[in-house]
Amino acid sequence: MSDPSKHRAPTPRASRSLVRRLVPAVIAVALVAGGVTAAGVVDPFAEDPPAQRTVGMSISGAMTAALLEDAPQPVVAGQELRLTKARKAELRRQEEQRKARLKAERIAAKRAAQPFSFQIASFNVLGSNHTGPGGARRSFPAAGTRTPQGVGVLRSHGTDVIGLQEAKPDQLGTIMRMTGFAGYPGPGAADPDNTVLWDPSRFELVSGSTFPIVFMNRTRPQTVVRLRDRPTQREFYVVNMHPSAGHDARNTSTRVAGWRRGVAEVNALRESGLPVFVTGDMNDRAAFFCAFLPPTGFVAAVGGSTSGGCRPPGRMPVDWIVGSPDVSFSGYVIDESTVNRRISDHFYISATATVAPAGD
């Protein structure tokens, strides 16, 4: 049998050369258009093994870049989609924050426009040291008997905030336990005598501090608390003081100096724009009224006036409740039962305090 290959017409060398040039170029263009690089396209007509020889493309770099730019890019598109979703989520979050802020501002403005009232009191409890051995009031019952009776008086007045004087740790502990009141500086302080107590269901402590004055023969801290009214979120200060007693030259001098320091402190507090109350055993009557109220512009729960001069009220104990011009008082009471029942050697004084709307 004859060999068929002997009868095949030979492929012209020129035709084979042309095919070898065109086929790789066509494949390369198709691959580039489809997003595939042509660096690894094998020359089907190469005499060398495929691993050793690849087709070099004559397409320019500019043409390749153009083809790639027009080709689909699913990964990049997916990233852009994810970025778009993240951006939309961020914009939604910012809008929600803006709405929440505006709502909070509206609520705060509404609360600030509301007056609020509470019961405020001042009481020198007669320290347990005074009725103990060696004390100046040994004829009074011991603090263990007197303190629960004093709590009964506090409750009878519906007191919300009270400035105490001479309150020793044992007395403070009993009062706070029986009332559930919070206090500053409280029974754990080095000198708790001038502690301020408040009902924590109505008020919360924002800050507490003290300033010094000379009481009798030594320097003692006077209390300042900043409280927040829970229902309205409005804030105010309470300053509680106990200057020197006695009318000799030295004690009178330190007492007046204590009042002056108090004037400076409350005027500084007023720069905050917040209402300020002052409670305390001031150990004087008309002299305190005329020394403290005119330079502060404060008003006294007991009455009196500083308009056009100093005109104290008709009846004044040495215990005081006064407040800044943006507060008013009503229902002032001097409860003498605390002296009559020998609970203390001081009256329990109480009043309803009303804070005007902010800005009034």
Side-chain angles (χ1 to χ4, degrees), residues 1-351:
M1 181 181 290
S2 62
D3 184 356
S5 64
K6 294 179 179 180
H7 303 286
R8 267 201 308 252
T11 303
R13 183 176 295 276
S15 299
R16 292 179 64 187
S17 176
L18 178 61
V19 171
R20 290 182 62 181
R21 288 196 299 271
L22 290 176
V23 170
V26 171
I27 294 172
V29 170
L31 292 173
V32 170
V36 180
T37 62
V41 178
V42 178
D43 182 351
F45 299 99
E47 296 178 359
D48 297 332
Q52 297 178 5
R53 186 171 181 182
T54 56
V55 176
M57 295 181 61
S58 61
I59 300 174
S60 69
M63 182 182 294
T64 302
L67 289 170
L68 290 173
E69 183 178 353
D70 292 338
Q73 302 291 329
V75 175
V76 173
Q79 289 174 344
E80 290 176 352
L81 181 61
R82 288 194 295 272
L83 288 174
T84 300
K85 288 181 178 179
R87 178 58 177 162
K88 287 181 178 178
E90 174 64 16
L91 291 174
R92 283 195 300 270
R93 186 185 66 82
Q94 292 178 0
E95 179 62 14
E96 289 170 358
Q97 289 181 338
R98 185 187 70 82
K99 289 180 179 179
R101 183 173 63 253
L102 291 175
K103 181 179 179 181
E105 290 173 355
R106 287 194 298 269
I107 292 173
K110 184 177 180 180
R111 286 170 171 171
Q114 298 175 356
F116 67 97
S117 300
F118 61 96
Q119 293 298 119
I120 187 169
S122 184
F123 185 41
N124 183 323
V125 300
L126 181 59
S128 55
N129 58 312
H130 293 303
T131 57
R137 294 285 189 270
R138 292 189 301 276
S139 62
F140 279 69
T145 299
R146 296 184 292 107
T147 303
Q149 294 174 333
V151 170
V153 174
L154 183 155
R155 287 173 170 164
S156 71
H157 288 275
T159 301
D160 298 305
V161 177
I162 182 169
L164 301 177
Q165 301 86 44
E166 294 189 18
K168 300 303 179 184
D170 58 320
Q171 295 167 291
L172 271 176
T174 299
I175 296 170
M176 294 173 75
R177 184 175 63 255
M178 293 183 68
T179 61
F181 276 19
Y184 183 89
D191 189 341
D193 279 30
N194 297 318
T195 288
V196 176
L197 299 179
W198 61 90
D199 180 354
S201 69
R202 173 71 190 274
F203 303 105
E204 60 182 322
L205 178 68
V206 177
S207 64
S209 61
T210 62
F211 63 91
I213 66 171
V214 174
F215 174 81
M216 310 299 284
N217 57 0
R218 63 190 179 97
T219 300
R220 302 189 70 180
Q222 314 298 293
T223 302
V224 180
V225 296
R226 181 170 174 167
L227 300 178
R228 180 181 294 121
D229 179 51
R230 293 184 186 275
T232 64
Q233 292 296 293
R234 296 186 62 189
E235 298 177 6
F236 59 95
Y237 286 100
V238 179
V239 178
N240 187 39
M241 298 184 62
H242 191 189
S244 297
H247 291 277
D248 58 277
R250 184 178 185 282
N251 287 331
T252 297
S253 175
T254 58
R255 180 167 60 255
V256 172
W259 298 339
R260 289 174 179 166
R261 178 61 186 271
V263 167
E265 291 292 331
V266 300
N267 281 339
L269 292 175
R270 282 293 290 160
E271 293 179 2
S272 69
L274 296 178
V276 180
F277 295 90
V278 179
T279 59
D281 171 7
M282 301 302 179
N283 277 310
D284 219 324
R285 296 175 174 81
F288 167 76
F289 185 95
C290 292
F292 199 94
L293 273 65
T296 59
F298 278 28
V299 295
V302 69
S305 172
T306 59
S307 178
C310 181
R311 293 191 291 274
R315 186 189 181 198
M316 296 167 285
V318 297
D319 307 285
W320 290 86
I321 301 170
V322 301
S324 50
D326 48 359
V327 307
S328 60
F329 297 102
S330 60
Y332 177 78
V333 174
I334 302 174
D335 189 335
E336 300 179 7
S337 69
T338 52
V339 173
N340 297 335
R341 296 166 57 194
R342 300 171 68 78
I343 296 171
S344 174
D345 55 354
H346 282 258
F347 302 137
Y348 188 101
I349 64 170
S350 174

